[in-house]
Amino acid sequence: MERQRIILHVDMDAFFAAIEQRDDPSLVGRPVIVGGPGARGVVSTASYEARPFGVHSAMPMAEARRRCPEAVVRPGRLRLYAAVSAELMEELARFTPLLEPLSLDEAFLDMTGSEGLFGEPPEMARAIKDAVQARTRLSCSVGIAANKFLAKLASDLDKPDGITLVPFGREAAFIAPLPLSKLWGVGPAATTELQRLGYRTIGQIAAADLSALEGQLGGRFARHLHALACAHDDRQVVSGRRRKSVGAEMTLERDVQGRAAVEQVLGRQCRRVAQQLRRNDLLAAGLRVKIRFSRGFRTRSRQMDLPTPADDSRSLIDAAGELLDRFELDEPIRLVGAAAFKLLPAAAAGQLDLFEGKQQAARSELEHTVDRIRDRFGDKIEYGER
DNA sequence: TCTGGGGTCCTAGGACCC
DNA sequence: TCTGGGGTCCTAGGACCC
């Protein structure tokens, strides 16, 4: 039997919008929407003032503006949000080394055995909220429970600025009345399927016969879901996870068609990806190109291994060109993206002794230099194949 | 008013090897 | 001369998360 754990899930309240309000006092108390402002933009975050109008994440921006015409729309400043996130994580790390960031604005903390230092779980949560507020001038909500799933579910139950504890020993009864969609990993598709099978609540899944569920959903997913519904989740809080891919994609304001137009956008994405790789001291050994067609909103991708692990634009652009040969491009395209995978630390790169490797190393070196100049003087400097 | 951008994980089929 | 079985890797697509 595993010992009782104390897991906390910290979730910032309307993170992006809250940062905008924090940094511009004229926005305090007003509906603020962060997201893509263009015709094809969607809402990334809506402040709590905007939510009563029915504005929520992933909603098309045009619809959001219609529902809440007085809202202030901001395009989003990801670099700033990432910097605030780094401060947040640094602050949370003061409470435990067992810290697992889930996204810019969320993290799990395993506080098992920390009662001596921080008191009972609700006191831990209070201390964390105070520390986060002091450091970032932002509020968060905290869920406390015996495992990750329950802690994450709990943090969402009393938002914003709440603390929710799932009573230890009474977990299954606590979550039984909640709707299926609260199960972490059950989205629109699974909800539809489960409802079709007659399930409505978490408790009904927990009470279901497991072998029947396996027959209906497929073994692995069924067992996972059933365990969660029974409030079981033995996944550990893992610190120091490594990113597995680095991507850049863009939905175009207007569709494009034909190889030349796609190539131009793809080149830009490859340069962004290469820059991200260098910024993070990573090399990529694989590249994937993604195309979304307007007709039917179909997404297609092609991937390959690179001849040599790389962080320079030219290597990525060359590979992307090869991958592009494997698409049919004779219809309108709305999104073009590139993503690097099979990432390895740049320090671990083998010696590239071949001529090809030396050329590539020289390009990488040059682009690193350009990065440094950009960091000092801003992004106005253009470099690269046009 | 159609549907962002950054990711993670899972699955299914085929190649390949023993 | 009608055909194995397991393991692993790769590819592509899709669900899901914030």
Side-chain angles (χ1 to χ4, degrees):
Chain A
M1 190 61 193
E2 205 171 320
R3 82 155 155 167
Q4 173 73 59
R5 294 183 291 162
I6 300 172
I7 309 297
L8 271 65
H9 180 253
V10 174
D11 193 351
M12 300 301 286
D13 300 321
F15 189 52
F16 297 173
I19 292 174
E20 296 301 328
Q21 289 174 316
R22 179 193 75 173
D23 293 353
D24 181 350
S26 78
L27 299 181
V28 174
R30 296 174 63 191
V32 174
I33 300 174
V34 176
R40 288 175 161 173
V42 303
V43 175
S44 180
T45 314
S47 75
Y48 282 89
E49 294 84 357
R51 296 190 189 188
F53 293 87
V55 178
H56 57 77
S57 298
M59 170 181 284
M61 187 60 78
E63 169 72 5
R65 287 184 199 268
R66 198 177 61 70
R67 292 191 182 209
C68 187
E70 64 263 54
V72 178
V73 176
R74 292 283 159 96
R77 299 182 283 169
L78 229 88
R79 294 286 288 274
L80 169 64
Y81 307 152
V84 177
S85 176
E87 286 188 79
L88 165 69
M89 298 304 167
E90 203 178 281
E91 198 59 31
L92 296 179
R94 296 158 61 96
F95 289 85
T96 172
L98 276 178
L99 169 72
E100 179 180 344
L102 263 193
S103 66
L104 287 181
D105 78 320
E106 273 181 73
F108 286 112
L109 293 83
D110 188 335
M111 301 286 288
T112 310
S114 305
E115 297 93 324
L117 278 170
F118 300 107
E120 290 304 301
E123 299 172 64
M124 297 175 187
R126 172 47 58 195
I128 288 171
K129 281 172 61 66
D130 289 347
V132 168
Q133 178 71 46
R135 177 72 180 268
T136 66
R137 289 184 291 128
L138 297 166
S139 76
C140 61
S141 299
V142 180
I144 311 162
N147 63 48
K148 290 168 85 171
F149 159 57
L150 295 168
K152 181 161 169 55
L153 182 149
S155 70
D156 194 48
L157 291 180
D158 181 19
K159 261 187 155 301
D161 205 18
I163 296 175
T164 303
L165 183 144
V166 180
F168 295 91
R170 290 189 282 122
E171 288 89 353
F174 184 88
I175 61 172
L178 299 174
L180 287 175
S181 50
K182 296 276 184 191
L183 287 167
W184 187 14
V186 172
T191 300
T192 303
E193 175 64 4
L194 287 163
Q195 286 184 342
R196 194 183 64 78
L197 294 167
Y199 301 107
R200 294 286 182 281
T201 66
I202 290 178
Q204 287 172 338
I205 299 279
D209 177 60
L210 180 54
S211 53
L213 209 59
E214 284 177 350
Q216 291 166 324
L217 298 176
R220 224 181 130 91
F221 187 55
R223 285 189 294 275
H224 175 67
L225 227 55
H226 190 257
L228 292 188
C230 295
H232 299 317
D233 177 11
D234 57 13
R235 287 172 295 182
Q236 300 296 304
V237 174
V238 181
S239 58
R241 275 192 200 268
R242 290 239 170 110
R243 190 147 56 144
K244 295 185 170 174
S245 68
V246 173
E249 60 182 57
M250 186 167 64
T251 295
L252 306 155
E253 284 294 314
R254 283 190 208 81
D255 291 350
V256 298
Q257 200 163 346
R259 170 144 188 151
V262 173
E263 239 170 23
Q264 198 185 338
V265 183
L266 196 50
R268 207 156 62 221
Q269 310 300 42
C270 285
R271 283 190 287 273
R272 286 178 58 202
V273 170
Q275 198 178 3
Q276 281 304 310
L277 290 172
R278 295 191 297 272
R279 223 187 270 286
N280 293 283
D281 293 312
L282 294 169
L283 293 172
L287 187 76
R288 177 166 48 247
V289 167
K290 173 168 154 183
I291 302 278
R292 176 128 70 213
F293 299 100
S294 256
R295 207 178 334 126
F297 205 65
R298 289 142 33 239
T299 307
R300 295 292 174 262
S301 67
R302 296 290 181 268
Q303 68 180 57
M304 65 183 276
D305 288 349
L306 299 176
T308 327
D311 66 1
D312 67 294
S313 304
R314 173 47 53 192
S315 297
L316 302 194
I317 289 170
D318 287 346
E322 266 186 66
L323 290 167
L324 221 42
D325 293 339
R326 292 157 51 184
F327 286 93
E328 300 277 354
L329 297 173
D330 50 3
E331 57 169 303
I333 286 161
R334 60 175 291 144
L335 174 145
V336 177
F341 58 93
K342 286 191 181 174
L343 307 180
L344 40 132
Q351 300 309 309
L352 305 176
D353 281 336
L354 305 170
F355 174 67
E356 194 59 34
K358 278 187 179 169
Q359 265 201 343
Q360 184 188 314
R363 287 195 303 263
S364 169
E365 190 59 35
L366 172 56
E367 292 186 15
H368 266 109
T369 304
V370 176
D371 290 342
R372 281 192 289 275
I373 295 169
R374 275 202 179 116
D375 286 344
R376 283 186 63 184
F377 299 107
D379 282 351
K380 290 282 179 262
I381 297 157
E382 272 292 331
Y383 164 78
E385 300 75 6
R386 306 288 294 270

